[in-house]
């Protein structure tokens, strides 16, 4: 098992409160509105793919969820916690860096450029956060780290440095590193965009396996096949708004909006 | 026309078995000017050696003797070596703090770091050391306490002057400690710039990845950013250390006389053989700096782990792992 989340046969119908509840999220950079009021609910165990042309705001939205970007408007709740602020009688107080760091612990993130720590071995990369952030006993963490590396198919590389691995291997280590914190939610920011075409498959396979364990995942991607096969829901964004969303069979298979149609046609022509 | 598709100039594939070009054994390009350059250098070096050997005023025998004199050795260890180590520790420590201040979000900290760097970079070390040595004229007692403590205590009718602790500057004014403070404060200004460049050289994604894992800003700096910045920081710091070895000769401005150059010079002067004194000091500086350069290359290898060439030990470890499965 990759995570501690319960294995769910098939994908559940969403019940109860959503794990991620975003309402009217707004963000601008230097007066340029990147997000213009995004609403999104993601339930536990769901896989949601964010699609859209570059500059549509999907990566920015993902980064807002774990507060790598500070939002200018709206609210994001993860597992009932208001992200980045404390609501004291209707007045929002910005949380301290420490409190924000604590909120991030339960959210794993995988980056486009892997961002492994190059001065640490593969095993040290995976063990770093549980030991430093959660202060878990080293032995326990090491065992878990080795299990995770085995899960992502890299049990033979614990002593390697990231620079000695291929892009696909590095990205799988990055997934193991995020999972070592036992997150409730995993965010993927174009995890295969920086990879050579022949290495994309191994990372997508790892992500598929993770989805099968019931992990809640939000994935920004251009991989239509992955979105079609794995996602419970596809959200198509353009110009900072959600243009269309629904099951992949509808959004990808039978898009209603003109912008979605144009984007999908371009994607299929390109690949 | 089916076989001549490759063109008429190249042999058809069928003829390849007979006349296919094999391994190349070409004559190398000749470099006649290299030999000319070597000849010139050999002559110049021979001239230099002959002057060193035949001019009795070099008096290397006396220079070697000076090198082994107790006051010279004492100056070497207590002044030059100790002074270098201590002021570099102060300089690097304070420099990293200044670099972090300079990169912080707090405008006051940024401003203070900038002003510090500006002042101490503009201040010649010799002048700084002379001023610190004479600071006793300005402040015979250095006291740390409440500002306007005396006046405040008087108006409140207290018997104390609200000093927390204090010491007499004159007690340390011509000791190595003043020299270390001066050289260290000056060095911190340069180290701040070096450390800042190192911190900025680390990819922003590294900090983001650490942030996403829930690490605090202190943990991110200590465990992720600084170790990688060291790769950029170490080489110029090695240069700074070597420069510091030589700058300890400025300690005479304090005045601190237990220092290599002054002691060697003194022996030369006393023996009415000024040159061997200089030679003795030069040879010691060469030895110390050579040792430091070796140490620097080890440090560079350590902090370069995970980048570029793989260290031999790691390679062996990896081979073993790969052989195991």
């Amino acid at each position: 098992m990759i995570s501690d989340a319960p294995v769910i046969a098939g994908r559940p119908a969403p019940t109860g409160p959503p794990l991620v509840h975003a309402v009217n999220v707004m963000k601008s950079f230097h007066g340029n509105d990147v997000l213009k009021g995004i609403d999104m609910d993601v339930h536990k165990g769901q896989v949601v793919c964010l699609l859209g042309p570059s500059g549509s705001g999907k990566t920015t939205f993902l980064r807002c969820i774990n507060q790598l970007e500070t939002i200018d408007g709206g609210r994001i709740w993860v597992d009932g916690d208001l992200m980045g602020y404390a609501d004291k009688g209707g007045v929002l107080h910005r949380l301290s860096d420490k409190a924000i760091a604590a909120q991030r612990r339960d959210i794993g993130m995988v980056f486009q450029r892997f961002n492994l720590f190059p001065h640490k071995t593969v095993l040290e990369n995976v063990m770093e956060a549980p030991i430093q952030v959660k202060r878990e006993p080293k032995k326990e963490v090491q065992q878990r780290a080795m299990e995770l590396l085995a899960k992502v198919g890299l049990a033979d590389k614990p002593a390697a440095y990231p620079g000695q691995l291929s892009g696909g291997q590095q990205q799988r280590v990055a997934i193991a590193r995020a999972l070592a914190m036992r997150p409730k939610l995993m965010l993927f920011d174009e995890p295969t965009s920086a990879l050579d075409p022949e290495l994309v498959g191994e990372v997508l396979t790892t992500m598929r396996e993770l989805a099968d364990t019931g992990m809640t995942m939000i994935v920004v991607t251009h991989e239509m096949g992955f979105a079609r096969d794995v996602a419970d829901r596809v959200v198509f964004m353009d110009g900072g708004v959600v243009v269309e969303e629904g099951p992949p069979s509808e959004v990808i298979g039978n898009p209603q909006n003109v912008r979605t149609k144009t984007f999908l046609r371009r994607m299929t022509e390109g690949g | 026309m089916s076989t001549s598709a490759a063109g008429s100039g190249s042999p058809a594939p069928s003829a390849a078995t007979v006349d296919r070009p094999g391994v190349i054994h070409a004559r190398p390009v000749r470099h006649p000017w290299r030999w000319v350059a070597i000849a010139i250098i050999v002559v110049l070096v021979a001239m230099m050696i002959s002057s060193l050997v035949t001019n009795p005023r070099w008096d290397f025998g006396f220079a070697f003797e000076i090198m082994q004199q107790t006051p010279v050795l004492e100056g070497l260890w207590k002044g030059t070596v100790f002074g270098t180590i201590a002021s570099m520790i102060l300089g690097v420590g304070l420099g990293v703090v200044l670099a972090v201040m300079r990169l912080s979000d707090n405008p006051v900290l940024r401003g203070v770091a900038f002003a510090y760097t500006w002042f101490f970079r503009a201040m010649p070390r010799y002048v700084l050391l002379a001023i610190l040595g004479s600071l006793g004229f300005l402040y015979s007692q250095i006291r740390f306490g409440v500002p306007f403590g005396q006046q405040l205590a008087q108006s409140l009718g207290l018997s104390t002057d609200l000093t927390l602790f204090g010491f007499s500057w004159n007690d340390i004014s011509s000791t190595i400690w003043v020299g270390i403070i001066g050289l260290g404060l000056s060095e911190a200004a340069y180290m701040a710039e070096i450390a800042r460049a190192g911190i900025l050289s680390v990819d922003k994604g590294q900090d983001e990845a650490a942030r996403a894992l829930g690490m605090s800003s202190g943990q991110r700096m200590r465990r992720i950013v600084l170790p990688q910045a060291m790769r950029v920081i170490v080489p110029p710091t090695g240069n700074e250390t070597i420069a510091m070895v030589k700058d300890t000769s400025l300690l005479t401005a304090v005045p601190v006389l237990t220092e290599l150059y002054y002691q060697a010079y003194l022996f030369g002067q006393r023996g009415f053989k000024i040159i061997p004194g200089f030679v003795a000091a030069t040879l010691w500086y060469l030895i110390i700096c050579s040792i430091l350069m070796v140490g620097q290359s080890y440090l560079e290898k350590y902090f370069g782990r995970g980048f570029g060439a793989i260290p031999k030990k790691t390679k062996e470890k990896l081979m073993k792992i790969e052989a195991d499965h």
Side-chain angles (χ1 to χ4, degrees), chain A residues 34-55:
Chain A
V34 180
L35 299 179
K36 300 170 187 165
I38 305 283
D39 296 325
M40 196 181 294
D41 281 354
V42 179
H43 285 82
K44 199 165 185 326
Q46 275 192 331
V47 177
V48 173
C49 282
L50 303 186
L51 307 180
S54 56

Side-chain angles (χ1 to χ4, degrees), chain B residues 142-217:
Chain B
I142 306 284
R143 289 200 206 89
F144 293 90
V146 179
F148 301 104
Q150 255 167 341
Q151 290 81 347
L152 206 66
Q154 233 160 32
S155 66
L156 293 171
L158 298 171
S159 56
T160 142
D161 62 356
L162 300 177
T163 299
L164 298 176
F165 75 95
F167 61 93
S168 163
W169 187 259
N170 289 327
D171 288 352
I172 64 158
S173 69
S174 35
T175 65
I176 182 84
W177 297 106
V178 170
I180 288 165
I181 289 168
L183 290 173
L185 290 179
S186 168
E187 185 58 40
Y190 293 89
M191 283 309 304
E193 290 298 288
I194 291 170
R196 190 167 71 105
I199 291 169
L200 289 176
S201 78
V202 178
D203 179 36
K204 217 174 84 230
Q206 291 292 311
D207 188 65
E208 273 183 3
R211 213 180 264 255
L213 287 166
M215 294 173 84
S216 69
S217 60

Side-chain angles (χ1 to χ4, degrees), chain A:
Chain A
M1 243 178 70
I2 277 187
S3 81
D4 290 347
V7 179
I8 300 162
R11 232 30 89 47
T15 50
L19 184 67
V20 178
H21 181 48
V23 181
N24 198 27
V25 174
M26 289 183 275
K27 173 74 188 172
S28 64
F29 292 107
H30 311 291
N32 178 21
D33 295 332
V34 180
L35 299 179
K36 300 170 187 165
I38 305 283
D39 296 325
M40 196 181 294
D41 281 354
V42 179
H43 285 82
K44 199 165 185 326
Q46 275 192 331
V47 177
V48 173
C49 282
L50 303 186
L51 307 180
S54 56
S56 60
K58 51 199 194 309
T59 289
T60 304
F61 178 68
L62 197 72
R63 291 164 59 85
C64 286
I65 295 175
N66 72 347
Q67 302 171 78
L68 288 181
E69 307 291 352
T70 312
I71 59 176
D72 301 328
R75 306 276 190 279
I76 300 176
W77 286 269
V78 175
D79 207 11
D81 282 342
L82 178 60
M83 300 304 281
Y85 300 92
D87 191 340
K88 292 176 184 167
V91 181
L92 290 190
H93 295 257
R94 180 92 182 122
L95 290 179
S96 68
D97 288 350
K98 210 171 164 186
I100 290 175
Q103 285 188 329
R104 288 189 185 118
R105 284 178 201 180
D106 297 331
I107 305 173
M109 184 154 189
V110 175
F111 297 85
Q112 183 178 2
R113 310 261 336 272
F114 331 136
N115 295 350
L116 290 180
F117 305 132
H119 60 302
K120 292 182 182 294
T121 64
V122 164
L123 188 62
E124 286 168 347
N125 263 280
V126 180
M127 290 171 64
E128 176 71 12
I131 290 178
Q132 294 299 324
V133 177
K134 285 191 169 173
R135 304 276 168 207
E136 290 184 68
K138 199 176 166 193
K139 252 197 179 145
E140 215 178 288
V141 174
Q142 181 164 356
Q143 196 188 344
R144 195 188 336 145
M146 286 306 292
E147 283 166 19
L148 283 169
L149 286 176
K151 272 291 163 205
V152 300
L154 290 167
D156 56 333
K157 299 280 186 199
Y161 281 97
Q164 298 161 328
L165 302 180
S166 73
Q169 289 171 328
Q170 288 192 50
Q171 194 60 297
R172 285 184 283 149
V173 174
I175 293 172
R177 177 176 70 176
L179 291 175
M181 289 293 277
R182 304 185 205 255
K184 301 183 235 190
L185 167 70
M186 283 285 283
L187 308 174
F188 292 83
D189 182 13
E190 303 199 24
T192 56
S193 299
L195 296 175
D196 289 339
E198 78 270 22
L199 302 175
V200 170
E202 61 190 63
V203 172
L204 291 182
T205 304
T206 304
M207 289 168 61
R208 250 173 240 257
E209 285 167 6
L210 183 60
D212 287 341
T213 66
M215 174 62 75
T216 313
M217 295 161 62
I218 304 179
V219 186
V220 172
T221 188
H222 290 296
E223 294 293 331
M224 290 302 147
F226 180 84
R228 200 182 297 121
D229 298 348
V230 183
D232 297 288
R233 200 146 52 84
V234 167
V235 176
F236 177 77
M237 285 174 68
D238 192 11
V241 293
V242 173
V243 174
E244 194 167 352
E245 67 170 299
S249 55
E250 284 172 24
V251 177
I252 300 176
N254 183 24
Q256 300 301 308
N257 192 289
V258 181
R259 285 194 275 180
T260 319
K261 282 180 187 169
T262 315
F263 173 74
L264 289 172
R265 197 166 54 236
R266 254 191 244 128
M267 289 303 290
T268 42
E269 275 166 9

Side-chain angles (χ1 to χ4, degrees), chain B residues 2-322:
Chain B
S2 60
T3 52
S4 61
S8 57
S10 58
S14 57
T17 46
V18 193
D19 264 343
R20 263 155 75 88
V23 179
I24 296 171
H25 296 286
R27 298 269 176 271
V29 177
R30 303 268 173 223
H31 295 287
W33 288 105
R34 264 188 209 172
W35 293 103
V36 175
I38 289 170
I40 292 170
I41 288 165
V42 165
V43 169
L44 287 174
V45 169
M47 282 160 70
M48 210 168 81
I49 290 173
S50 94
S51 90
L52 288 176
V53 173
T54 55
N55 188 337
R57 292 200 182 174
W58 279 107
D59 201 347
F60 287 104
F62 189 50
F64 290 137
E65 248 173 67
I66 292 176
M67 281 177 79
Q68 294 160 38
Q69 295 301 317
T70 312
V72 173
L73 289 173
E74 206 177 316
L76 172 70
W77 290 116
K78 289 187 184 167
T80 303
V81 173
F82 177 68
T84 301
I85 293 169
S87 36
M88 281 311 289
I89 289 172
L90 178 60
V92 171
L94 190 57
V96 170
V97 171
L98 284 167
V100 173
M101 281 167 70
R102 189 83 190 271
L103 294 169
S104 95
D105 293 331
N106 184 333
V108 176
L109 292 183
R110 272 205 312 266
V112 168
F114 174 80
Y116 182 97
T117 311
W118 163 76
F119 179 80
F120 281 98
R121 276 213 298 193
M123 193 77 184
R125 283 186 181 173
Y126 192 82
V127 177
L128 179 65
L129 289 173
I131 291 174
L132 284 179
S134 319
L135 205 63
F137 291 113
L138 272 176
Y139 306 102
S140 61
Q141 293 284 321
I142 306 284
R143 289 200 206 89
F144 293 90
V146 179
F148 301 104
Q150 255 167 341
Q151 290 81 347
L152 206 66
Q154 233 160 32
S155 66
L156 293 171
L158 298 171
S159 56
T160 142
D161 62 356
L162 300 177
T163 299
L164 298 176
F165 75 95
F167 61 93
S168 163
W169 187 259
N170 289 327
D171 288 352
I172 64 158
S173 69
S174 35
T175 65
I176 182 84
W177 297 106
V178 170
I180 288 165
I181 289 168
L183 290 173
L185 290 179
S186 168
E187 185 58 40
Y190 293 89
M191 283 309 304
E193 290 298 288
I194 291 170
R196 190 167 71 105
I199 291 169
L200 289 176
S201 78
V202 178
D203 179 36
K204 217 174 84 230
Q206 291 292 311
D207 188 65
E208 273 183 3
R211 213 180 264 255
L213 287 166
M215 294 173 84
S216 69
S217 60
Q219 284 173 329
R220 295 192 315 258
M221 186 52 81
R222 262 197 337 274
R223 304 206 38 101
I224 307 300
V225 176
L226 275 183
Q228 293 181 61
M230 288 306 277
R231 214 172 112 253
V232 174
I233 292 173
V234 165
T237 304
N239 287 344
E240 290 294 314
T241 309
I242 286 166
M244 182 59 82
V245 170
K246 296 174 287 180
D247 280 356
T248 53
S249 60
L250 302 175
L251 286 172
T252 47
V254 173
V256 172
L257 304 181
T258 312
E259 166 278 311
L260 175 61
Y261 167 72
Y262 186 78
Q263 292 300 327
Y265 166 77
L266 217 60
F267 267 93
Q269 216 185 24
R270 273 191 220 136
F272 299 106
K273 288 179 177 175
I274 195 88
I275 295 295
F278 294 148
V279 171
T282 304
L283 289 176
W284 269 127
Y285 284 124
L286 287 177
I287 290 166
I288 298 285
C289 291
S290 308
I291 294 168
L292 284 175
M293 282 160 89
V294 173
Q296 183 186 350
S297 87
Y298 275 105
L299 271 182
E300 277 175 30
K301 256 183 218 146
Y302 175 76
F303 284 111
R305 71 195 188 284
F307 295 90
I310 311 156
K312 207 175 154 202
K313 244 190 184 165
T314 317
K315 221 177 198 169
E316 282 163 6
K317 222 170 163 185
L318 282 173
M319 299 261 278
K320 217 169 133 199
I321 290 166
E322 269 153 33

